Amino acid sequence: MPRARRTSPKQLSGSGMCGRLTLPLILACLQTACAADAGSGSPASLARRPAVAHVYAGTVERNQSIASRITGITYPYHVYLPEGYASSGRRYPVIYATDGQWNFGSFSRILDQRRKAVILVSIEQGGPDRREVDYTEDGARAYGRFLREELAPLVEARYRSAGPRSFAGTSYGALLGAILLSREDVAKPFFSNYLLFDGAFWGLSSASVADEELRLTASSHLPVKLLLTTASAPGNVNDVLAYEARYKSRAYVGLMIRRQDFNVAHNNVARPSFEWAVDLID
């Protein structure tokens, strides 16, 4: 799952409490375990929860993949098409979201419930722990090329797309977004909206901050919406605040920055952040 600088407090184990298995004690332990599961954002606990069926008004196309020549990795991805896509003849803006292995279901349902006229492309990591390469400085440059030169052209040739592109990432995914923003095109940004949720900005090196400064030197014009969120129970609050302050201090022309805090743990920040942010993008 996404990583915060500080980890959540460990849940109490029931093993010590349940040494003597009287009926009242068994019931109490079951209640404690269920409460612990309800508060967890881990993939295992999410898998144990009964799924609530959502009937899509739009269309979901799952389990596609693209083999990147740039990174040498094959990435699964999923696509959400809005209600009426097949018959409208319209072109739609696209949101490219990282960590599709965790977030596609919730993000697509949010868009569908709100009847947002937008295409969602949700990219999974290309193998165990691959996000710790692609979403960090080790691999962000190559992964950024993969997004711009391989995935986006494929998607935008296959689907009727137009208008601004958006990038959405949580934790390491948001770190990737920060690196991409620091290298945005001077003439016309590739992504017009950056949705960065409780970013692991502690992973930005002095070289990345230098890239931010070089981008400012090249042009003070940056027509981008930067939408930031923090998780405060706990999360990367201090790192996000420092990142926000640094961008605000540069007085870019055309840059709009908004931030929202959520009193949730880091691993649970993606859904409320996306709900908040999708109403703010073009």
Side-chain angles (χ1 to χ4, degrees), residues 24-103:
L25 207 52
I26 291 172
L27 294 174
C29 288
L30 288 173
Q31 291 173 344
T32 301
C34 289
D37 278 350
S40 171
S42 68
S45 66
L46 291 172
R48 287 194 293 271
R49 299 179 195 173
V52 177
H54 173 74
V55 179
Y56 282 88
T59 304
V60 170
E61 298 182 356
R62 294 182 181 271
N63 302 319
Q64 303 185 62
S65 65
I66 176 172
S68 172
R69 295 187 302 275
I70 294 171
T71 67
I73 301 296
T74 296
Y75 299 95
Y77 68 95
H78 316 286
V79 177
Y80 167 78
L81 301 173
E83 181 182 19
Y85 173 87
S87 59
S88 70
R90 292 179 52 188
R91 292 188 174 273
Y92 298 84
V94 183
I95 300 173
Y96 293 90
T98 58
D99 285 324
Q101 68 275 7
W102 296 319
N103 294 328

Side-chain angles (χ1 to χ4, degrees), residues 94-269:
V94 183
I95 300 173
Y96 293 90
T98 58
D99 285 324
Q101 68 275 7
W102 296 319
N103 294 328
F104 177 69
S106 61
F107 285 7
S108 61
R109 285 192 296 271
I110 289 167
L111 295 173
D112 198 62
Q113 289 164 349
R114 296 183 179 214
R115 300 300 193 265
K116 301 293 288 188
V118 64
I119 296 170
L120 171 68
V121 178
S122 194
I123 313 105
E124 293 192 13
Q125 63 177 340
D129 300 323
R130 183 66 197 184
R131 65 197 302 272
E132 298 192 14
V133 177
D134 290 330
Y135 298 176
T136 67
E137 292 194 358
D138 289 341
R141 189 177 296 275
Y143 192 82
R145 287 187 57 211
F146 155 69
L147 290 177
R148 293 189 304 270
E149 299 174 22
E150 295 180 322
L151 181 63
L154 174 69
V155 166
E156 294 168 17
R158 182 175 296 172
Y159 302 100
R160 297 193 311 274
S161 65
R165 301 182 190 91
S166 300
F167 174 93
T170 304
S171 190
Y172 269 177
L175 173 62
L176 168 64
I179 295 171
L180 297 180
L181 180 58
S182 72
R183 300 168 182 169
E184 262 295 6
D185 187 81
V186 172
K188 183 179 180 181
F190 189 81
F191 293 109
S192 298
N193 304 293
Y194 280 84
L195 289 57
L196 308 185
F197 306 148
D198 204 43
F201 297 144
W202 44 265
L204 290 170
S205 70
S206 57
S208 285
V209 177
D211 283 340
E212 295 174 8
E213 297 292 349
L214 286 172
R215 175 59 179 77
L216 177 62
T217 300
S219 174
S220 62
H221 186 59
L222 186 60
V224 162
K225 285 185 180 178
L226 176 57
L227 305 178
L228 304 168
T229 68
T230 50
S232 56
N236 293 318
V237 174
N238 291 337
D239 302 287
V240 175
L241 292 178
Y243 180 79
E244 178 188 25
R246 193 163 67 245
Y247 264 87
K248 283 185 173 179
S249 71
R250 298 188 178 115
Y252 273 108
V253 176
L255 175 64
M256 188 200 85
I257 302 176
R258 294 280 299 275
R259 181 179 57 80
Q260 180 69 37
D261 181 68
F262 294 97
N263 186 31
V264 298
H266 177 76
N267 284 356
N268 297 325
V269 76

